[in-house]
Structure formats: C-alpha cells, structure tokens
Amino acid sequence: MEITRRNFIQFLVGGAVGLQLTPIPWKLTDDIAIWTQNWPWVPVPPTGAFSFETSVCTLCPGGCGIKVRKVDDRAVKIEGRTDYPVNPGGICPVGMGGLQLLYDKSIRFTGPMKRVGPRGAGEFTNISWEEALRILSGRLSTLRKKGQVNALAAVDGNTRGTTMSLMIERSLRAVGSPNYLRTPHAEETYETSSRLMQGTEAPMAYDLENADYILSFGCGLLEGWGAPGRVLNAWGMWHSEHKERSTRIVQIDPRASNTASKADQWVAARPGTEGALALGIAHVIVREGMYDRDFVDHYAFGFNDWRSGDGKSHTGFRTLVLKKYAPEKVARITGLKPGDIVALARDFARAKSPVAISGKGKGALNGDLLEFMAILGLNALVGNINRPGGVLVHEPLPLSPLPEPDMDAIARAGLEKGRLDQAGSRRYPFSRSLLNRLSRTVLAEGESPVDTLLVFSANPAFTLPDGGAFRKALAKIPFIVSFSPYRDETANMADLVLPDHTYLEKTDDIAWPRGLQYPLYGLSRPVVDPLYQTRHTGDVLIRLAKSVGGSVARAFPWENFTSVLKDRAKGLFESGRGRVHYDGSTPVWEEQRIGPDRTADYKTFDEMWEKLLSGGLWYSPVHTYKNWETIFKTPSGKFEFFSSAIELAVRGGTDLKKAGIRVEGDEAFMPHVEISQAKLKTSSYPLLMVPYEMINLASGWIPDPPFLKKTLFDTQLLKNDSFAEIHPKTAAEYHIRQGERIVIESPAGRVHVRANLFEGAMPGYVFLPLGFGHTAYDEFLQGKGENPNDLIAAGEDPLSGQPAWWQTPVRIARA
Ligand code: SF4
C-alpha cells in the first residue's frame, strides 16, 4: 500500500479508535514518528538535547497523564504516561495533536487585545496588560458604583469543582453578581439525577473495569465518552485475547457508531427513547422478580406502594413500571421488538455485576434528566449501587474549601437580586445554571440586562445547541471580555481579550476525571515556557480583584493561582489518605476491590505538595462497599425511586407543569417518559435530526488540532462540505443520491451538506456530526462543513430546563 499523508494519519487514528491501547500501535506510532522525519509535511525539530516533561492533559475532563518529548526547548511529541492510573500509556487523537494547539500561532491570541473592527470580524489591536486590566477593573468599579452589579455575568466552561471554576464564581460573588453561568454539561445531569435519587453531590463513578455487563444508553465509549483515556484502555482490556473474565458491552444507539459496531450487541432504539427503554427493562425485571429484593426492601424508598403520614396512598415505582411500561408498549415507542426488551432485561438482571450507563456521545452535553434517573433506577433495581462493578457512591474530593469572602454592602445587595437565567428558582429548582435561558432573557428585553459578559474556557457561540440564539444575544450585550487563548467564535465577538496560556504552558487542576470510579485529583504543569504575552487567567483574576480594591481585593488574598491550589490541597493531606505515586503494578480498580487496608504514601504536607506538583497525581484507592445505611443523603436516608426532593420542591411552590412535566400525581416524582416523538414530527418537518460525535473531531470549546482533519474520510468531509448520514430508504423517498448536496431545514435554521447514504443510520432520521461549521480560527478549521447546533430549536428538557438537543424536527431536499 502506498503510504500517503492521509492514510498514514488514518492509521494512527484507527489505532486509537479501534483500540487498542495495547502497546503495539503506540510502539508503531513511536517508530513511525522517527521514520517519518524525512517526509516533507512532518515538521523536523531542530537537533538538540532530548528530554521529557510529565504533566496531565486538561484538554477534556478525562485527565490523562501525559509525557511530552522535547528537543531543547521545543516540545515535539505527546504520549501517554504509564505511571498514571487513568490512562496507562494511551491518549486520544485530540491529545496526540495537542502540540498544534500550542504552536499554531494563527489560532491563538498572542497578547491582550481590544476590538477595532465590527463585532465578530476578529479585528483587534494589541494593548498592554496594564491597559487591559485598567479597562476591565474600571468597568467593574463603575457597575459597583451605580449599584448595577447584577448586570455582570460570566460563562464558565471549566469543569465544576476545579480551582479555576471556584475562582471565577468567587470573582462574581465578590463583585456582587449572582450571574455565574456554566456551559451545559452531562456532569450537571449526572449530579442532578444523583441528588434527586441518592441525595449525594459527588461525581458519577462507574466501576466499568469490574463490571461483567455494560448496558450503554448511547454512550460513545469509542467516541470520547467519560474519561476517554481510561475508557479506551478498559475497552482494550475487555477485548484482549488474554482477558480473565468476559465483559459484555451492549450499545443502545440509533446509528452504527464506532461503539455500536464494535460492541458485543447493538440495539438500535429510536433516539430520544432511551428513558422509555430503561423503564421497559425495569418492567420485565420487576414482573419476573429478578430485582435485588434485599437492596430494594431495605435500602430503597418508593418502590412499593405506600401510605404517607397524612393517610394518603401513594403509587410506587413497581406499580408505575408494571402499569405503563410493558414491553409491547415500549416496543412501539422505541421501535424494538418486545422480545428484544425482555431478553435485554433478563441478560442485565442475570449478570453478576451489570451496570447501566448514561450520557449520549462524548457525554459532553447535558442529558435528559428523566432518562438519567430511569437509568440510575435500573442500577438500583439490580442492587448494583456501591458494589464492585456498579455505580459507586463517594464523598466529594477532600479539598479544602476556600474561605468565605467578606462581602461589602454593594455585593450583598447585588447577590440578593435574582439570577437572570432563573436557575435555582422555584421554576427551575434543580438547575444551578441555565445558559440557554440567559440568551432568551437578553433577546426578550429591549435593552440587554447584561452589560458586561466575561467568558472563560468556553465557546458558546459555537457549542450551544440553540439555533444561534446565543450569538444573537452576544450582539446585544454592550461589553464582552474573553479570556480564551484561542481565536474562537465567541472571542471574535469580544471587545476585550485577556488571553490565557494554553494547557501546555500552565498549572491547572483536574478534579476527578469524568466517570472515574475512584477519587483522583490531577495537576498539570507547564511543559514549555509561555510562547507569547499571555497570562494565567487565575493570576489575572487575582490582579483584577486587587485593582477593584476594597472587599473584592480582600476576597483574593493570594499571590498567585498556584498558592490557591496549594491552599485547597491541604484538605487532601488532612484527609489522612491518598497516594501521590503510582507504579502501574496493580490497577487502582483492582486495588479498590481488594480492600481499604492502605495508608497515605507521604508523611508531611510539604512532601505531598512537592510530589503533587511534580507527578500531577493524588488518588485514593480506598473504598467502602455496601454501606447503604449511610451513603444515601436523601430525606428518607435511602435510594429514592420516588424523589422526596421533587416533592419538597412542589411543596415549596414549584409548579411542575411550568417545568415541562405533564403527567399527574405520584408519577411526576419518579423517572418517567414525557416527550412523545410522534408529537415532535409534523407534516412540515417529517424527519428528526440527531447530532453525533467522533473521537477525532473536537466538538467543544477546544479547537480541533488541524492535523486531525486529515483523519476524516471523504464521506465525512469533502473539501468544505460535511455530510449528513441518511438511510438509503429515507434518501430514496426524497430522490437523494450518494454524495449529492442537500439542504436540511428546521424551524430554527437551514444548513447545506452532502448526503452519505448509510445502512447504519436509522430510517426516518438525519445524523449530523458535531464539530464542523467553524467561522473562526484558521484556514484548516474555518468554513469546513456545517454546525448542527444551528438547526436546534431552543427546546427545554423537562424538569431541568437545560437545552433539549438530541432530536430536532427537520425536512430535507436536494439543494
Ligand atoms: S482523553 Fe482528554 S485528557 Fe486524555 S488525551 Fe484526550 S483530550 Fe487529553
């Protein structure tokens, strides 16, 4: 075979996607990296001294340990660390391409700038850091003097619990604004479902490596779901010829994704019906008596019908699923056969350690809250909560809290005013942030209620599934400040840019990689000196607070961001547990199963801190299983199929109808199905558009390393055209042929793409990849394909109020 640039790179990505975090592809990669030094398109590093720097990748919440090879001061290659427990030796394609995000000057801001051209044109002029800070602190001081601090808002894309996210939230509170918003994320849905049913706040922790049956409700295990380095490694183990136990992967997916194609079983349920399927499976497990009676009878609340203290009779989860989710009915909703649902239920319940997991695609966007609750309920039904191979319930990471800031009268008055997005209000009591509602509020009012918007590690103008509503809202906001290191779509709308370092130039933390089954705190460190005049946003916020002065300055007594990290890390030391060194001999998920008889591997805080700084790792392999008497923090002290938290919210004045709940009575407090697909489709929009994600196409805030564009097939991107996957039968109904240009139109917008007729796509649906359609960055990213987010109408997920992005009614035609 002739080795071309494209098929060489596809070989590398194939290695990652197909999986294989066995050492072989990585060894080959290494060899090829040396062999290809002579190819003209591979940048040839200068000759010089070789060295390695270790760090942690913070490009996604996966928290992989990385090793960066350097020649003199230049980083030339990123690979996975074998002495890091998350991703022993492997990383994902985006992580492999990370050097382009460091060295590609055309996609970065090289210093502070202010806008000189029209909004969105990306025309800026350089200014000094002194001037940049003077402009922003002056603006904040003016808002405070006028008593208008609630006209300040911030959008934060950092993972919740990281020190950066705490610093940003603290800055807003110290100034006096309640409007700290986060980009919608699956973590929010995990945490809310856990809060409503388990009463706990710690991140969702799936013990995948110890499970023998994984029922994945649309999770793109090979598309970058969870902590991708960890999941890819686990997949390699599940499919190793030398595996000691067998693990069965069942993928529920409306299209033949990479995960579906390589799973042991692919179940093609209609998209958006995953919650109904979970409840149908629950019906069979209950009907056939296959549930865990000990767990359900002693540690769960709301399973059987009961009578409350006021003498009222209540319907329990058992009656609900038996009455409403029989396989025949669920089959009509999901498009599966009743026998398939029965077989799935039996396989799931009979497995020794089955686990059902949620979060569509990469799990980066928020999910359907009722669906997540139904899936969590399924795990409780088989008693696989806090057992090896199940959903583990933890306390949050033992990091020290930052001291409460001492707020002045201006800040106190500002914080008493309601949030602009209504998150946490009676209307949306279970959400902490609703960025989609902020855009609506800004667009609904004549004058924007937001005067100054700060944007951190987020690109909502591109990533928010809202038909471009956020972009329109940005146009109305008088002053926008971006802290992005990249020339992304949102930063291009900014009036002032205070660019952060990129991830390879700074110290930052990872507070528990997404979905990991044990507590882990990671620290990245600079592997090269900052290339340009950028500054760490944590340091900038401290400087900014000092310029505003008064109680705002007092809220930030630290010298720099690293001293805040150090203060938080004291809690890790004081917990008396944890390790800062991993030798790779026993995987943590195995150690965790052996028992909790271990102690910390450091003696003093200084020792722990130095090792944390250099190794980037603190983790705790200690876990107590089956302690169901104490782990649930719900009002009943049990796992709640019937959520007391929802009932309490209703007693406190929440109108569930206004929150999108249409069912009546006790059903409203339990996992159930709200949205009917039949009602979404209309004669004008007879198809549904479903976005999907790929591991070699970044679809979030971080731009795609241009290198990865070369890994795409000609049926994914052809010159500047991206493709929609359509089943040949559906395409035939519209007289559409392979490769033809088509127009897809929804009530929110229209896009032009090419058609890829794909047998693996469910008939009646149009599948569009997320990650294309940038209008910003450089020639490799700009104008390539279309962004499905532009089609998604701003619907709301019932109960949570988050954007409902997983199915949008559309029509298609030849262009
Ligand atoms: S999976 Fe995430 S953390 Fe790991 S290398 Fe890829 S981008 Fe980085």
Side-chain angles (χ1 to χ4, degrees):
M1 182 180 75
E2 188 198 350
I3 299 275
T4 62
R5 174 183 178 174
R6 173 166 299 207
N7 62 26
F8 160 66
I9 300 168
Q10 279 171 348
F11 162 75
L12 293 191
V13 172
V17 172
L19 248 326
Q20 4 293 353
L21 286 200
T22 70
I24 297 165
W26 303 101
K27 174 74 176 68
L28 285 176
T29 305
D30 205 41
D31 292 348
I32 291 170
I34 297 162
W35 168 45
T36 56
Q37 299 288 313
N38 297 326
W39 293 2
W41 46 270
V42 173
V44 180
T47 46
F50 271 94
S51 62
F52 282 101
E53 300 277 355
T54 53
S55 184
V56 176
C57 177
T58 55
L59 285 179
C60 86
C64 293
I66 53 170
K67 196 160 80 167
V68 180
R69 186 192 290 188
K70 289 171 71 178
V71 177
D72 285 343
D73 291 335
R74 187 167 175 104
V76 295
K77 188 180 174 215
I78 303 176
E79 52 196 77
R81 277 168 66 179
T82 49
D83 64 343
Y84 209 80
V86 177
N87 59 309
I91 50 170
C92 80
V94 175
M96 285 167 81
L99 290 181
Q100 292 196 326
L101 304 179
L102 170 70
Y103 287 121
D104 185 353
K105 193 175 173 184
S106 58
I107 62 170
R108 291 190 59 177
F109 289 109
T110 53
M113 303 191 123
K114 70 179 178 191
R115 178 168 68 86
V116 287
R119 272 257 168 101
E123 292 167 23
F124 299 95
T125 187
N126 292 321
I127 54 173
S128 67
W129 272 103
E130 284 61 40
E131 186 182 353
L133 287 165
R134 201 168 47 242
I135 294 171
L136 183 52
S137 69
R139 194 135 189 131
L140 298 182
S141 299
T142 307
L143 286 176
R144 280 170 58 78
K145 272 188 206 127
K146 289 186 184 165
Q148 293 174 348
V149 273
N150 60 328
L152 171 71
V155 178
D156 181 12
N158 291 289
T159 311
R160 203 161 82 81
T162 57
T163 303
M164 255 332 295
S165 74
L166 294 190
M167 293 278 282
I168 296 164
E169 188 172 14
R170 187 179 184 87
S171 303
L172 271 264
R173 289 184 61 223
V175 170
S177 168
N179 296 310
Y180 168 76
L181 293 114
R182 307 185 45 75
T183 46
H185 244 277
E187 266 116 31
E188 174 112 14
T189 322
Y190 288 130
E191 285 166 18
T192 311
S193 56
S194 175
R195 214 160 59 232
L196 295 182
M197 301 180 89
Q198 303 187 137
T200 57
E201 290 272 326
M204 192 64 83
Y206 292 123
D207 193 12
L208 300 177
E209 288 83 347
N210 287 311
D212 64 349
Y213 188 99
I214 297 173
L215 185 56
S216 155
F217 285 83
C219 311
L221 297 171
L222 294 181
E223 278 81 19
W225 178 86
R230 173 250 180 151
V231 175
L232 298 182
N233 182 65
W235 188 285
M237 186 191 77
W238 294 323
H239 292 80
S240 155
E241 284 173 14
H242 309 293
K243 65 186 170 188
E244 288 159 20
R245 316 167 278 115
S246 68
T247 301
R248 189 167 172 78
I249 316 286
V250 179
Q251 178 70 2
I252 298 157
D253 212 320
R255 63 180 277 278
S257 62
N258 240 312
T259 309
S261 312
K262 294 183 171 72
D264 297 289
Q265 187 183 349
W266 171 30
V267 179
R270 290 187 185 118
T273 67
E274 293 85 354
L277 179 56
L279 294 168
I281 293 171
H283 171 106
V284 179
I285 293 174
V286 172
R287 189 182 68 192
E288 300 193 358
M290 293 187 290
Y291 60 92
D292 184 326
R293 279 174 202 277
D294 178 49
F295 181 83
V296 165
D297 289 347
H298 298 102
Y299 308 105
F301 168 73
F303 179 73
N304 292 308
D305 297 349
W306 84 101
R307 197 175 284 276
S308 50
D310 56 7
K312 211 170 144 199
S313 305
H314 291 275
T315 303
F317 185 68
R318 174 195 185 97
T319 303
L320 172 73
V321 294
L322 287 178
K323 257 194 190 164
K324 292 199 130 180
Y325 297 98
E328 295 69 25
K329 183 175 172 190
V330 171
R332 286 195 293 278
I333 299 172
T334 57
L336 300 174
K337 294 189 182 113
D340 296 339
I341 298 165
V342 173
L344 269 181
R346 288 177 182 160
D347 289 350
F348 183 72
R350 285 174 186 157
K352 195 160 163 273
S353 308
V355 65
I357 59 176
S358 48
K360 294 182 181 70
K362 292 183 180 178
L365 280 167
N366 68 288
D368 171 339
L369 178 55
L370 291 169
E371 174 193 314
F372 275 45
M373 288 173 70
I375 294 166
L376 187 54
L378 212 47
N379 287 306
L381 215 47
V382 293
N384 217 4
I385 305 271
N386 227 24
R387 269 199 177 124
V391 175
L392 302 193
V393 184
H394 289 273
E395 295 292 329
L397 278 170
L399 291 159
S400 295
L402 300 181
E404 261 307 296
D406 164 30
M407 282 171 287
D408 63 8
I410 300 172
R412 285 198 300 275
L415 290 171
E416 270 167 25
K417 297 189 177 150
R419 287 176 62 98
L420 291 169
D421 62 351
Q422 293 183 284
S425 67
R426 274 191 202 158
R427 172 94 188 252
Y428 300 102
F430 306 117
S431 288
R432 295 197 167 114
S433 162
L434 291 166
L435 189 52
N436 48 327
R437 291 201 60 80
L438 181 78
S439 337
R440 281 196 200 174
T441 309
V442 169
L443 292 171
E445 297 188 19
E447 197 176 313
S448 166
V450 178
D451 169 81
T452 300
L453 179 73
L454 314 179
V455 186
F456 302 88
S457 306
N459 183 14
F462 179 77
T463 61
L464 211 59
D466 64 354
F470 192 82
R471 272 200 303 276
K472 288 181 201 132
L474 282 181
K476 276 186 74 178
I477 295 174
F479 198 72
I480 300 164
V481 185
S482 171
F483 292 79
S484 177
Y486 303 114
R487 292 177 173 270
D488 58 55
E489 283 80 358
T490 311
N492 275 350
M493 298 285 281
D495 300 274
L496 186 65
V497 182
L498 285 76
D500 198 353
H501 299 318
T502 64
Y503 79 114
L504 294 171
E505 300 166 302
K506 66 175 190 173
T507 307
D508 207 352
D509 60 356
I510 288 270
W512 206 311
R514 190 186 289 156
L516 198 68
Q517 72 269 60
Y518 52 91
L520 185 144
Y521 181 71
L523 266 195
S524 73
R525 60 183 186 138
V527 297
V528 292
D529 290 336
L531 300 183
Y532 305 111
Q533 301 307 309
T534 54
R535 282 192 189 175
H536 195 304
T537 298
D539 295 342
V540 169
L541 288 180
I542 293 170
R543 276 283 308 276
L544 191 64
K546 294 193 193 310
S547 328
V548 174
S551 63
V552 180
R554 286 196 299 279
F556 288 85
W558 301 277
E559 255 174 54
N560 53 32
F561 182 72
T562 305
S563 38
V564 188
L565 291 171
K566 191 171 178 180
D567 273 4
R568 288 193 83 204
K570 285 179 183 144
L572 300 176
F573 176 73
E574 283 156 13
S575 74
R577 61 193 174 112
R579 293 167 170 210
V580 287
H581 178 252
Y582 174 73
D583 67 9
S585 57
T586 314
V588 181
W589 50 269
E590 265 183 22
E591 265 195 82
Q592 210 174 14
R593 221 175 35 185
I594 299 164
D597 186 28
R598 285 168 301 271
T599 48
D601 64 353
Y602 47 84
K603 292 208 165 45
T604 63
F605 173 71
D606 287 342
E607 185 194 350
M608 186 203 88
W609 176 242
E610 284 309 315
K611 288 188 174 161
L612 184 54
L613 274 182
S614 58
L617 175 67
W618 180 97
Y619 70 99
S620 172
V622 176
H623 190 70
T624 311
Y625 298 97
K626 301 186 190 176
N627 51 347
W628 300 304
E629 296 87 357
T630 53
I631 52 170
F632 301 120
K633 311 290 185 212
T634 52
S636 65
K638 297 181 173 185
F639 180 92
E640 294 196 344
F641 287 103
F642 180 103
S643 173
S644 307
I646 303 179
E647 194 186 33
L648 285 171
V650 170
R651 281 201 216 141
T654 292
D655 181 345
L656 288 180
K657 289 229 160 19
K658 285 193 182 150
I661 299 293
R662 287 173 186 79
V663 300
E664 303 279 347
D666 289 341
E667 189 177 357
F669 306 103
M670 292 186 274
H672 66 274
V673 172
E674 278 289 338
I675 298 171
S676 154
Q677 278 214 331
K679 287 189 186 144
L680 284 175
K681 293 185 188 178
T682 63
S683 54
S684 305
Y685 299 101
L687 302 173
L688 291 175
M689 186 280 289
V690 182
Y692 71 92
E693 291 173 291
M694 296 190 271
I695 197 164
N696 51 334
L697 186 61
S699 44
W701 165 60
I702 296 290
D704 213 31
F707 189 67
L708 289 188
K709 283 283 179 295
K710 297 297 170 194
T711 66
L712 299 169
F713 293 103
D714 287 348
T715 50
Q716 293 171 323
L717 183 73
L718 186 63
K719 293 197 174 145
N720 287 339
D721 289 337
S722 56
F723 283 72
E725 288 180 353
I726 306 171
H727 191 275
K729 270 195 205 155
T730 307
E733 285 171 33
Y734 295 89
H735 311 289
I736 292 169
R737 291 190 301 268
Q738 172 63 29
E740 202 166 14
R741 300 195 91 226
I742 60 170
V743 56
I744 307 176
E745 200 171 353
S746 78
R750 54 157 54 193
V751 299
H752 287 84
V753 292
R754 287 181 189 269
N756 179 27
L757 308 197
F758 179 41
E759 293 277 355
M762 183 174 279
Y765 294 84
V766 177
F767 296 89
L768 275 179
L770 282 165
F772 289 125
H774 279 292
T775 55
Y777 304 115
D778 63 3
E779 60 182 305
F780 296 104
L781 296 170
Q782 205 175 90
K784 302 282 180 200
E786 297 272 13
N787 185 356
N789 289 328
D790 291 344
L791 289 176
I792 298 172
E796 283 183 12
D797 177 44
L799 204 58
S800 72
Q802 296 286 353
W805 55 268
W806 38 90
Q807 45 192 359
T808 299
V810 293
R811 59 179 168 234
I812 57 174
R814 294 161 69 185

